[in-house]
């Protein structure tokens, strides 16, 4: 990321941070899940972390990075609210 021009670094940082933040908010644990440890590849607009999927939303009227995270397909909640993978078939 350091090789990018300053403005692009700021934009890419915002995309990375909003994906990380969306994931930890989806778990309900916030900073306890250490969002800075969630791997988000430079330039990625969708991805997965644990059993959560995240996706950046775009709209021509909104220039800001927006990200939504929710249960990835093939997951379900156990009684504690934690997401677990479910076997198909």
């Amino acid at each position: 990321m350091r090789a990018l021009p300053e403005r692009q670094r700021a934009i890419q940082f915002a995309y990375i941070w909003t994906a990380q933040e969306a994931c930890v908010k989806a778990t309900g644990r916030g900073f306890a899940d250490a969002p800075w440890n969630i791997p988000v590849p430079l330039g990625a607009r969708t991805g997965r972390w644990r059993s959560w999927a995240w996706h950046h939303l775009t709209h021509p009227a909104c220039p800001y990075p927006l990200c939504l995270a929710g249960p990835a397909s093939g997951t379900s909640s156990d009684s504690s609210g934690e997401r677990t993978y479910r076997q198909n078939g």
Side-chain angles (χ1 to χ4, degrees):
M1 193 154 72
R2 289 183 179 150
L4 294 173
E6 186 176 342
R7 177 157 168 64
Q8 285 300 315
R9 278 196 310 261
I11 292 168
Q12 290 306 310
F13 175 82
Y15 273 103
I16 290 168
W17 178 251
T18 54
Q20 293 169 328
E21 184 180 29
C23 288
V24 298
K25 284 183 176 180
T27 69
R29 294 177 36 90
F31 282 107
D33 269 334
W36 47 88
N37 289 328
I38 298 172
V40 177
L42 189 63
R45 297 298 181 257
T46 62
R48 288 178 71 137
W49 171 70
R50 295 184 183 166
S51 59
W52 301 94
W54 56 267
H55 180 77
H56 280 284
L57 309 173
T58 57
H59 189 278
C62 183
Y64 306 106
L66 302 171
C67 193
L68 175 68
S73 63
T75 64
S76 62
S77 293
D78 65 17
S79 61
S80 70
E82 291 293 316
R83 300 282 171 193
T84 54
Y85 285 100
R86 156 178 84 218
Q87 294 292 329
N88 293 330

